Amino acid sequence: MKDSLGSSNKQASIFFVGPLPPPVHGFAEINRRMLVHLSKNADIEVFDVTPRKKSRGLFAKANSWLSLVLQFFKFTGLALRGNGDVLYLPLSGGYRQFIDASFAIIGLLSGLRIFIHHHSFAYINHRPLYARIVLRLLRNATHIVLCERMGNLLSDSYRISKDNIRVLSNAAFLDDAPHYNNKKVHDKKLVLGFLSNITASKGCFEFIELIKAATDKGLVVEGFMAGPVQPEIDQPFSQAIASTKFVSHIGPVYGEAKHNFFEKIDVLVFPTQYENEAEPVTIWEALEASVPVIALSRGCIECIVPENIGWVIKNPDHFIEQGLECLDYILEDVSTLGTMKVEARKEFEKAKQKYTIHLEALLLEIMNGKVNAKSI
């Protein structure tokens, strides 16, 4: 009986080993969406290795590790008995790669076809010893990366053949939402938005500084910040917000509230300071909503935002200065923003179409072992 991907063979049996929500963050959410796609066409055994933080204390930590150990032994038993065909493994960015490697070793011993999904630049920007060990072990696996830049750097850093690398942007996993940003472009006023977990590394303070610098210069701007505030910066963030009347924090937004957020802003500002930023889903969501972007260059961001739909600033030290130049450029002729909004949506649609094809080809490869996805 054929499945929806056209294979006449029995469904593949896949071991899915990776973190899943909760908590909700980009890595776990993309894992969840990939799991949904795989589950439509295969028998899945899920091993959720999310480190849970519902409670504190030694007992809670011991219980979390016990759960992980039990999952590992269950995986080992099933794999060594030949109950699986494929190991799909989203790779962690830090020392938890050793946990990933323990599953991968069993997968190799069991003769599983292994697919490694990369979501972090942490071990690409630098080459820590643990990553060199793990990726040498997994050199012959199939490696899924977020953009061509990531794939080229991964290949150069760890001598992984480009024939073993597949490019799959997070754009493939976004829902095909309607064009819902119909906000009228106001003459001589810009509404800027910031959407992320609110941490210093994500650039929340740089966003506030940009708004203050713009208003000090006489530009008419307003800022809305959405997302949960991390406890360690709660006090300085509150003080920074209180220092200007032109920035509002509206809290976390999901679902329809997120749609409403993108409807009310003109430009998304993403001044991430996080060195290992990969491919922020927030930027794709902005383009999907016809919202141009001003961002700092990290990871795959330059691959997402071409010049006709926004600006990618390379030097963090010049973000405020160059960000002001971007705002000046828009405010000189607001018709510019209208054109950029149209082009932003077109860019998203083009990427969505391209990477949906990549996703379908990759799923076929995972299911039946035939190489359908294009290498970099």
Side-chain angles (χ1 to χ4, degrees):
M1 179 176 179
K2 287 190 177 184
D3 61 28
S4 61
L5 289 175
S7 172
S8 58
N9 300 323
K10 71 177 183 66
Q11 284 189 316
S13 180
I14 298 175
F15 295 119
F16 183 105
V17 179
L20 294 166
V24 178
H25 51 77
F27 183 29
E29 179 58 22
I30 294 299
N31 288 344
R32 184 193 68 79
R33 296 187 189 196
M34 185 65 170
L35 178 58
V36 169
H37 283 284
L38 290 170
S39 299
K40 294 176 182 177
N41 302 283
D43 297 321
I44 307 287
E45 189 75 41
V46 178
F47 299 87
D48 181 3
V49 295
T50 303
R52 304 298 180 193
K53 297 181 179 179
K54 290 183 178 179
S55 57
R56 299 179 180 180
L58 291 176
F59 178 78
K61 291 180 180 179
N63 191 48
S64 178
W65 279 105
L66 176 61
S67 174
L68 180 61
V69 170
L70 291 175
Q71 288 196 82
F72 175 72
F73 280 117
K74 179 183 178 182
F75 169 81
T76 300
L78 291 172
L80 293 180
R81 287 198 299 269
N83 289 1
D85 304 304
V86 173
L87 169 60
Y88 172 85
L89 182 65
L91 194 65
S92 301
Y95 287 109
R96 288 183 70 86
Q97 280 188 11
F98 283 121
I99 296 173
D100 299 337
S102 63
F103 284 90
I105 289 169
I106 299 300
L108 290 169
L109 292 174
S110 304
L112 299 176
R113 291 185 291 115
I114 300 177
F115 290 79
I116 306 298
H117 203 152
H118 299 270
H119 293 270
S120 174
F121 272 75
Y123 48 89
I124 295 177
N125 291 333
H126 307 283
R127 295 178 64 247
L129 178 61
Y130 63 82
R132 281 179 275 163
I133 295 170
V134 172
L135 288 172
R136 183 173 181 82
L137 179 72
L138 296 172
R139 185 174 292 171
N140 294 323
T142 300
H143 295 263
I144 307 163
V145 297
L146 301 172
C147 62
E148 289 191 3
R149 178 175 184 266
M150 187 183 208
N152 288 328
L153 290 172
L154 181 71
S155 177
D156 292 344
S157 297
Y158 296 99
R159 298 181 183 178
I160 294 170
S161 170
K162 291 184 178 181
D163 289 338
N164 292 344
I165 295 177
R166 311 287 181 264
V167 180
L168 182 64
S169 166
N170 288 331
F173 297 101
L174 268 66
D175 298 327
D176 194 12
H179 179 166
Y180 50 77
N181 186 319
N182 295 312
K183 178 180 180 291
K184 183 179 178 182
V185 180
H186 294 285
D187 188 31
K188 301 303 179 184
K189 178 182 178 180
L190 282 177
V191 180
L192 308 181
F194 176 96
L195 174 61
S196 176
N197 284 326
I198 295 180
T199 66
S201 66
K202 287 293 185 177
C204 64
F205 296 113
E206 284 71 18
F207 177 82
I208 296 170
E209 285 304 311
L210 177 62
I211 298 284
K212 291 170 69 174
T215 55
D216 288 345
K217 190 178 179 181
L219 303 182
V220 183
V221 298
E222 182 180 11
F224 290 100
M225 304 185 73
V229 181
Q230 298 305 296
E232 62 269 19
I233 67 159
D234 187 47
Q235 183 175 353
F237 177 72
S238 297
Q239 291 172 345
I241 287 285
S243 70
T244 174
K245 62 181 180 180
F246 300 104
V247 180
S248 302
H249 177 228
I250 59 177
V253 291
Y254 305 103
E256 190 63 29
K258 184 185 288 188
H259 293 180
N260 293 338
F261 170 81
F262 282 119
E263 278 188 334
K264 72 166 61 175
I265 69 174
D266 295 309
V267 179
L268 178 78
V269 180
F270 196 78
T272 178
Q273 306 295 303
Y274 181 44
E275 181 185 12
N276 300 320
E277 192 77 64
E279 191 199 28
V281 174
T282 297
I283 292 181
W284 280 122
E285 290 173 332
L287 301 186
E288 182 182 30
S290 303
V291 175
V293 175
I294 300 172
L296 269 172
S297 179
R298 302 286 190 196
C300 293
I301 291 177
E302 283 192 66
C303 300
I304 306 175
V305 185
E307 291 181 357
N308 62 323
I309 61 172
W311 294 266
V312 180
I313 298 169
K314 295 183 182 295
N315 190 334
D317 295 334
H318 297 159
F319 179 77
I320 303 300
E321 173 191 345
Q322 294 182 15
L324 286 174
E325 291 175 3
C326 299
L327 301 183
D328 271 330
Y329 179 82
I330 296 172
L331 287 168
E332 281 180 6
D333 182 358
V334 291
S335 66
T336 299
L337 182 59
T339 301
M340 293 177 73
K341 289 176 68 174
V342 172
E343 293 301 316
R345 176 67 186 193
K346 286 181 180 178
E347 187 66 28
F348 168 77
E349 291 175 346
K350 183 172 69 175
K352 172 71 173 176
Q353 181 181 33
K354 173 183 177 179
Y355 290 111
T356 296
I357 293 171
H358 283 211
L359 175 59
E360 290 171 353
L362 179 64
L363 291 172
L364 275 170
E365 184 176 357
I366 292 172
M367 300 308 159
N368 59 32
K370 296 179 182 178
V371 179
N372 300 280
K374 183 180 178 181
S375 305
I376 61 170

